[in-house]
Amino acid sequence: MLIMLRTKRRSSSSNVVATAIIAVLVLLVMHVMGSSESEGQEQQQLRVGFYSKSCPPAESIVHAVVKEAVLSVPRNAAVLLRIHFHDCFVEGCDGSILIDNGDISERHAGAHAGVGGFEIIEAAKARLESTCPGVVSCSDIVAMAARDAVFLSNGLFYEVQTGRRDGRVSNWTLAADMPDVNDSIHMLKAKFRQKGLKDKDLVLLSAAHTIGTTACFFMGTRLYQFNSTGGSDPAINPRFLPVLKSICPPGGDVNVRLALDAATEFVFDDLILHNIKNGFAVISSDARLYDSRHTRRIVDLYTQNGTSYKHEKPPSFKVDFAASMVKMGRIGVKTGSQGEIRRVCSSFN
């Protein structure tokens, strides 16, 4: 009987210790699960229809402003598309490029030369503030404006995930790793991969150049200093080279602008990819897409004119472009309690 009592006491003591250990483990698991759930909720806050209750007319207000801007100046469609790309590639899609806090601000980085459309974003923000003050972020306005710009240029209408918050950092030095017009294909691939984008995204997002213009400022190296002998880029079609040189002669006005796709400058289509394939790309970074076997194959897939390419059905350029835009729009987003909702897009609160 004595032995049995001692055994029970030891068993009871062991049970207490075991119970305590289990309790600690349960708390740890709950903590980890709670953290993961919290992080998941943060990510889930970027979703289609984020403002459906807090500001129902948000998307229609942005669309109205963009429509006015594009109808008055068709080139604004490309301007709004470009500002979204440049914003997302520096500090993520957080509206950092919109800040104007003097010479230090990101918008003054050399990599952002020629980026505009800030006044259009501000106009949309002003209307939203009068309707839903302090609700819609500037970074979300940029994303919605880019989508509407594509749609108004005969592109596909796609759903934009919203819920971004605006960043509190804007410094021109942070734009040092922006893709550059004179980058090699290897450098372009590396910069896109650094942002979680694949070669397919590189091709599709570069094809945004189907609308818009560039300046002779960006053509000098390609036309006159492409190699050590001072020649031109051999990828330029011989019939196209004199055309480019006549628009951008050596010593000429570097501010003269030329269409990136002269045939359908204001129409969102896949002609830019056909131009790249045939040597009619205007800027060097577009032409470089045909330098790599993998990106060249992607370009070829979208330029088969309805015929098969090695038994593969040609993909939809517009559908896939929209998917890449949505993917890019998730780069480095700030949600939940991160960042802020600016009252004016060009200034921190």
Side-chain angles (χ1 to χ4, degrees):
M1 190 68 173
L2 182 59
I3 294 175
M4 290 177 65
L5 287 172
R6 287 178 178 173
T7 302
K8 287 182 179 180
R9 287 173 181 171
R10 288 175 183 172
S11 176
S12 176
S13 176
S14 298
N15 287 341
V16 171
V17 173
T19 300
I21 292 174
I22 291 172
V24 171
L25 289 174
V26 168
L27 288 172
L28 287 172
V29 170
M30 289 177 66
H31 175 73
V32 171
M33 289 179 66
S35 298
S36 299
E37 185 178 355
S38 175
E39 292 172 2
Q41 288 174 349
E42 288 275 297
Q43 291 302 317
Q44 289 172 8
Q45 288 183 358
L46 192 67
R47 64 180 185 272
V48 174
F50 182 83
Y51 299 110
S52 59
K53 293 182 179 180
S54 58
C55 187
E59 298 212 17
S60 60
I61 289 174
V62 173
H63 180 80
V65 172
V66 172
K67 186 175 182 179
E68 291 171 11
V70 173
L71 288 179
S72 61
V73 182
R75 179 174 170 267
N76 280 333
V79 169
L80 291 169
L81 183 53
R82 188 182 184 206
I83 197 173
H84 185 36
F85 177 87
H86 280 254
D87 182 37
C88 290
F89 263 73
V90 182
E91 290 293 289
C93 310
D94 68 346
S96 56
I97 196 172
L98 304 174
I99 293 295
D100 189 7
N101 56 350
D103 293 340
I104 194 175
S105 55
E106 181 194 319
R107 67 164 68 182
H108 297 305
H112 292 326
V115 175
F118 303 111
E119 73 286 354
I120 303 172
I121 303 300
E122 288 288 6
K125 178 61 173 174
R127 290 194 195 180
L128 285 164
E129 284 297 298
S130 66
T131 305
C132 312
V135 175
V136 183
S137 69
C138 297
S139 47
D140 274 344
I141 295 173
V142 170
M144 289 186 281
R147 182 270 311 279
D148 293 338
V150 170
F151 176 67
L152 291 166
S153 302
N154 196 45
L156 183 72
F157 181 89
Y158 57 92
E159 297 286 3
V160 168
Q161 295 178 323
T162 46
R164 299 169 187 79
R165 289 172 66 85
D166 301 321
R168 295 192 177 101
V169 175
S170 181
N171 191 302
W172 69 269
T173 60
L174 300 174
D177 293 328
M178 273 292 300
D180 185 80
V181 68
N182 292 313
D183 281 342
S184 68
I185 185 60
H186 303 294
M187 183 62 72
L188 290 169
K189 285 183 175 184
K191 288 180 177 180
F192 271 68
R193 287 172 183 167
Q194 187 179 30
K195 301 300 180 182
L197 300 173
K198 298 181 179 180
D199 291 352
K200 182 178 179 181
D201 301 307
L202 166 59
V203 172
L204 289 164
L205 293 172
S206 296
H209 294 152
T210 181
I211 55 176
T213 62
T214 189
C216 288
F217 174 81
F218 297 104
M219 300 296 295
T221 298
R222 188 174 195 218
L223 294 178
Y224 305 108
Q225 300 172 340
F226 189 75
N227 51 39
S228 57
T229 62
S232 303
D233 182 356
I236 303 174
N237 188 299
R239 291 183 290 131
F240 193 41
L241 182 59
V243 175
L244 293 177
K245 285 188 171 182
S246 67
I247 299 172
C248 302
D253 184 357
V254 296
N255 295 311
V256 170
R257 304 197 69 84
L258 59 163
L260 290 165
D261 175 9
T264 57
E265 178 183 347
F266 302 114
V267 179
F268 195 91
D269 55 26
D270 63 2
L271 188 56
I272 185 73
L273 295 175
H274 291 269
N275 292 343
I276 291 169
K277 182 177 182 176
N278 297 317
F280 290 94
V282 173
I283 57 175
S284 181
S285 58
D286 284 351
R288 302 286 71 82
L289 297 178
Y290 225 61
D291 287 352
S292 159
R293 179 180 61 84
H294 192 203
T295 52
R296 181 167 60 248
R297 182 177 180 279
I298 295 170
V299 171
D300 287 344
L301 278 173
Y302 287 101
T303 55
Q304 294 308 303
N305 297 318
T307 61
S308 63
Y309 177 74
K310 294 184 179 179
H311 309 294
E312 294 185 51
K313 182 180 179 180
S316 169
F317 165 65
K318 291 183 179 181
V319 169
D320 291 351
F321 174 81
S324 286
M325 285 291 287
V326 171
K327 186 176 180 181
M328 182 186 74
R330 292 195 291 259
I331 297 175
V333 295
K334 296 166 180 63
T335 59
S337 60
Q338 301 170 322
E340 63 184 13
I341 304 297
R342 293 184 206 140
R343 291 185 291 271
V344 177
C345 290
S346 60
S347 305
F348 299 122
N349 289 344

